[in-house]
Amino acid sequence: MSSVQLLFETAKSARERAYAPYSKFKVGAALRTKGGKIIAGCNVENAAYPEGVCAEGGAISALILAGETEIAEVLVMADAALCTPCGGCRQKIKEFAGDDVKVHIANLDEVKKTFTVAELLPAGFELNEKD
Ligand code: THU
């Protein structure tokens, strides 16, 4: 199975566990680490709406819990035309992924489009104190 297929199947299973009773919009995310671990996340909503967590954010929390910090590939899945990560999640992905890392966007059937991290977040924030 190719790495994209593995990410696809992982995101699909994760999406089925999403807790999205308010939006009814379930999202699954899967990350591959540089060392080859596959890590999943799903969105978890809350009655206090802003407290909800995106699938990508959940996957990144699981990444850290797994003792990993280097993302090599990402796949995000939703039953949508093109569920690209929200602005905040782009910055979260950037924290652990190089500019060339691929972010695949899939619907329930197939990958619809692939971006690099740099394409999704040009000029993303980097913490550089005075130079
Ligand atoms: N959502 C994600 O989990 N990831 C995305 O890339 C876009 C949006 C979630 C947040 C919320 O639970 C629901 O989808 C609708 O916005």
Side-chain angles (χ1 to χ4, degrees):
M1 196 185 276
S2 74
S3 68
V4 183
Q5 280 176 307
L6 193 53
L7 290 170
F8 185 93
E9 294 305 330
T10 302
K12 194 164 207 174
S13 300
R15 181 186 166 275
E16 282 160 17
R17 295 198 168 169
Y19 177 76
Y22 305 104
S23 71
K24 317 271 190 233
F25 190 79
K26 295 183 168 198
V27 186
L31 312 174
R32 178 170 61 81
T33 70
K34 277 197 179 164
K37 281 188 199 166
I38 301 289
I39 291 173
C42 62
N43 56 330
V44 182
E45 297 184 346
N46 192 279
Y49 292 178
E51 298 306 324
V53 178
C54 289
E56 298 89 326
I60 286 170
S61 295
L63 173 84
I64 298 308
L65 185 61
E68 300 286 339
T69 53
E70 292 188 306
I71 297 173
E73 199 170 13
V74 181
L75 188 142
V76 180
M77 177 187 290
D79 188 9
L82 202 65
C83 179
T84 51
C86 74
C89 285
R90 293 176 195 209
Q91 184 71 35
K92 289 179 188 177
I93 292 167
K94 175 188 167 63
E95 183 76 17
F96 303 107
D99 277 352
D100 295 336
V101 165
K102 288 179 178 168
V103 180
H104 308 286
I105 311 299
N107 64 17
L108 304 191
D109 299 320
E110 60 189 0
V111 170
K112 298 307 289 183
K113 195 156 179 177
T114 298
F115 300 88
T116 64
V117 167
E119 284 170 337
L120 287 176
L121 189 66
F125 176 71
E126 286 175 16
L127 184 57
N128 295 316
E129 299 191 18
K130 286 181 192 166
D131 32 37

